[in-house]
């Protein structure tokens, strides 16, 4: 029996091929899939009807790179630079995490995403100290109800990369209906050296996994050397996301585009950690699909509204004036369909095209911060915040309604997170 949901009377924003306001139209969903978008759609017997009068309806946001496990150490280093981050977070706090801490952080972090309208998440998980840590991270993603790509970054004893990656791949084999799939989160040539990078990319190719790696964030010489290594070894035949990508030249961006690479930008974190000026406009100008990400809540906000606003501000404020063509529509596209393309999910999510998964959000406009907005897309990017997120759907399943998350006892989730945070602070 077909399950039907009809969202009626909302002002609908679609994002493919470019963001556009469709006006007051309806959205019909059948068995979790977008079936039709248009005026005057009928519900049919037994359909669930969501009245979106006075609301904006649009695709859910896509976060292309987040260290989700760090939800339990939020704002622990709000004014730190990158070397300090490596010392405090990776060197000191990460080793204190037990498997239970990873579960608490990943569950709370994924629910934070859903609460803020992020329906798809690349969880760049570099807390794999033991198989138990890994299993806890995956279980939390599954329990949250988010559409997740688990970016597995092996961090155990030397020699275990191959066997552990294969074990996790077996768990996340992409069976029908599983919202959590897998990418290989590689340390890469600039962080772990060329020998490890060869093993990472070749293993990903064998297992049919995309790669996501922090590349181009450690200076121009390191960026050029790492890119040349990937090219000379034919590794970019495997779909690769360049996280941060801060120090590539325009010519190097063209080479990345020609190889089919993508870029993930973390505009708040990149500025706050003083690692470089975000490359949103330069990467997109080269024809590279470019998405947005929160990166980490240890020193940045975790919502997509902040990322869109910051990307828009910094691009238009580039000292050379070259970013003045960057628009609120560009920012929204990066947060939706373009982010989905970065994750290889452009045919599944990121827009309201019929046949895609019904991952969408409904935003309130009956607030002083959103009322009387003449340009709905401009309002989403420049005026909305998490309090506007009223309804969230993932695969047609409502996970937030009336401004409240469903399916989880938030008091229990938050109590576990607080206990974890207290333990980590004492350790």
């Amino acid at each position: 029996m077909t399950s039907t949901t009809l969202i009626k009377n909302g002002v609908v924003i679609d994002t493919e091929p470019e963001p556009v306001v469709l006006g007051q139209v309806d959205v019909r969903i059948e068995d979790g899939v977008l079936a039709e978008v248009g005026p005057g759609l009928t519900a049919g017997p037994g359909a669930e009807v969501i009245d979106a009068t006075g609301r904006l309806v649009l695709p859910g946001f896509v976060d292309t790179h987040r260290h989700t496990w760090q939800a339990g150490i939020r704002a622990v280093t709000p004014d730190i630079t990158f070397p300090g981050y490596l010392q405090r977070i990776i060197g000191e706090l990460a080793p204190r995490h037990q498997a239970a801490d990873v579960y608490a952080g990943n569950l709370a972090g994924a629910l934070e995403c859903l609460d803020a309208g992020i329906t798809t998440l690349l969880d760049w998980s570099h807390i794999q100290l033991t198989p138990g840590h890994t299993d806890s991270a995956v279980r939390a993603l599954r329990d949250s109800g988010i559409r997740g790509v688990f970016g597995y970054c092996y961090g155990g004893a030397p020699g275990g990369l191959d066997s552990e990656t294969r074990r996790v791949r077996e768990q996340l084999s992409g069976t029908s209906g599983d919202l959590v799939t897998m990418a290989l989160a590689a340390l890469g040539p600039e962080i772990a050296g060329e020998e490890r990078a060869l093993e990472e990319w070749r293993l990903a190719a064998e297992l049919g996994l995309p790669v996501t790696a922090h590349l181009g964030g450690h200076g121009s010489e390191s960026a050029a050397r790492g890119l040349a290594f990937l090219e000379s070894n034919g590794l970019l035949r495997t779909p690769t996301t360049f996280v941060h990508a801060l120090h590539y030249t325009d010519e190097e961006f063209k080479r990345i585009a020609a190889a089919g690479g993508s870029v993930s930008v973390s505009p708040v974190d990149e500025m706050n950690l003083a690692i470089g000026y975000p490359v949103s406009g330069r990467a997109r100008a080269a024809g590279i699909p470019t998405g947005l990400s929160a990166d980490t809540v240890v020193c940045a906000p975790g919502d997509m509204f902040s990322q869109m606003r910051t990307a828009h501000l910094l691009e238009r404020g580039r000292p050379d004036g070259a970013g003045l063509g960057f628009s609120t529509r560009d920012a929204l596209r990066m947060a939706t369909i373009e982010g989905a393309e970065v994750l290889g999910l452009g045919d599944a999510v990121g827009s309201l095209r019929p046949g895609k998964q019904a991952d969408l959000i409904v935003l309130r406009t009956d607030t002083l911060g959103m009322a009387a907005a003449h340009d709905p897309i401009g309002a989403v990017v420049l005026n909305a915040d998490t309090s506007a997120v009223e309804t969230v759907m993932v695969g047609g399943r409502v996970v937030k309604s009336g401004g409240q998350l469903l399916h989880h006892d938030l008091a229990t989730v938050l109590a576990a997170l607080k206990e974890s945070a207290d333990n980590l602070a004492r350790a």
Side-chain angles (χ1 to χ4, degrees):
M1 182 176 178
T2 300
S3 171
T4 301
T5 301
L6 187 65
I7 303 175
K8 289 192 66 68
N9 304 321
V11 173
V12 175
I13 300 170
D14 201 3
T15 54
E16 188 180 20
E18 298 294 335
V20 60
V21 179
L22 300 179
Q24 186 170 304
V25 295
D26 306 328
V27 179
R28 183 165 56 85
I29 298 158
E30 293 186 355
D31 292 336
V33 175
L34 291 160
E36 189 176 4
V37 179
L41 301 184
T42 56
E48 178 186 2
V49 177
I50 297 175
D51 184 3
T53 301
R55 306 293 191 259
L56 303 178
V57 181
L58 63 153
F61 300 130
V62 178
D63 187 325
T64 57
H65 153 246
R66 178 189 295 241
H67 306 303
T68 316
W69 62 271
Q70 294 176 354
I73 48 175
R74 183 186 311 275
V76 70
T77 55
D79 304 307
I80 206 165
T81 58
F82 187 60
Y85 170 88
L86 293 177
Q87 177 182 339
R88 178 66 174 143
I89 306 303
I90 304 304
E92 298 174 8
L93 291 176
R96 299 180 186 178
H97 279 68
Q98 303 299 313
D101 299 309
V102 175
Y103 181 84
N106 250 42
L107 179 60
L111 291 177
E112 175 189 2
C113 288
L114 289 174
D115 192 46
I118 296 168
T119 53
T120 299
L121 165 69
L122 185 290
D123 178 20
W124 214 107
S125 192
H126 54 351
I127 191 65
Q128 314 313 315
L129 306 179
T130 69
H133 287 72
T134 302
D135 295 345
S136 292
V138 172
R139 182 163 58 90
L141 287 180
R142 283 178 162 155
D143 288 350
S144 74
I146 202 165
R147 189 178 303 280
V149 180
F150 181 60
Y152 176 71
C153 181
Y154 177 73
L161 171 63
D162 184 279
S163 60
E164 266 302 289
T165 302
R166 291 178 189 277
R167 184 185 73 84
V168 179
R169 181 71 176 104
E170 183 67 24
Q171 289 186 36
L172 299 172
S173 57
T175 56
S176 177
D178 194 341
L179 289 174
V180 182
T181 55
M182 183 179 177
L184 196 151
L187 291 178
E190 296 179 60
I191 295 176
E194 295 180 354
E195 183 177 349
R196 161 96 181 218
L198 277 174
E199 185 180 6
E200 289 171 329
W201 263 263
R202 288 173 177 172
L203 183 58
E206 180 185 343
L207 298 179
L209 297 173
V211 172
T212 173
H214 296 76
L215 294 164
H218 306 280
S220 57
E221 289 185 12
S222 174
R225 186 168 57 252
L227 178 58
F229 166 79
L230 295 174
E231 291 172 323
S232 64
N233 286 279
L235 302 183
L236 294 182
R237 287 192 291 267
T238 296
T240 298
T241 298
F242 291 66
V243 176
H244 300 314
L246 291 157
H247 297 289
Y248 293 113
T249 65
D250 291 346
E251 185 272 334
E252 287 165 340
F253 273 135
K254 291 177 183 177
R255 286 157 49 193
I256 292 170
S262 59
V263 165
S264 174
V265 174
S266 309
V268 177
D269 235 27
E270 288 161 8
M271 294 298 286
N272 199 23
L273 290 171
I275 55 177
Y277 205 94
V279 298
S280 308
R282 292 180 54 234
R284 297 178 84 240
I288 302 173
T290 304
L292 294 172
S293 83
D295 195 351
T296 173
V297 296
V298 303
C299 59
D303 66 283
M304 192 56 66
F305 301 105
S306 296
Q307 308 306 325
M308 288 191 291
R309 257 194 291 281
T310 303
H312 180 260
L313 168 70
L314 293 176
E315 193 59 33
R316 291 185 62 84
R318 278 169 54 182
D320 55 7
L324 289 175
F326 190 89
S327 69
T328 52
R329 281 158 172 74
D330 293 320
L332 181 61
R333 193 177 198 282
M334 290 178 69
T336 53
I337 182 61
E338 207 162 328
E341 292 169 353
V342 168
L343 300 187
L345 297 175
D347 288 334
V349 298
S351 75
L352 301 181
R353 187 203 329 148
K356 287 192 174 187
Q357 294 293 304
D359 291 13
L360 53 83
I361 60 177
V362 178
L363 303 183
R364 296 178 56 185
T365 62
D366 60 343
T367 65
L368 290 172
M370 288 287 284
H374 291 246
D375 182 339
I377 293 175
V380 170
V381 175
L382 298 180
N383 305 115
D385 58 29
T386 57
S387 68
V389 181
E390 183 173 70
T391 302
V392 178
M393 262 188 193
V394 179
R397 178 179 185 242
V398 177
V399 297
K400 184 177 184 179
S401 179
Q404 299 296 318
L405 284 174
L406 309 177
H407 316 304
H408 290 273
D409 181 348
L410 286 188
T412 300
V413 171
L414 293 174
L417 186 68
K418 183 180 186 304
E419 181 181 2
S420 171
D422 290 346
N423 290 338
L424 291 168
R426 285 194 298 266

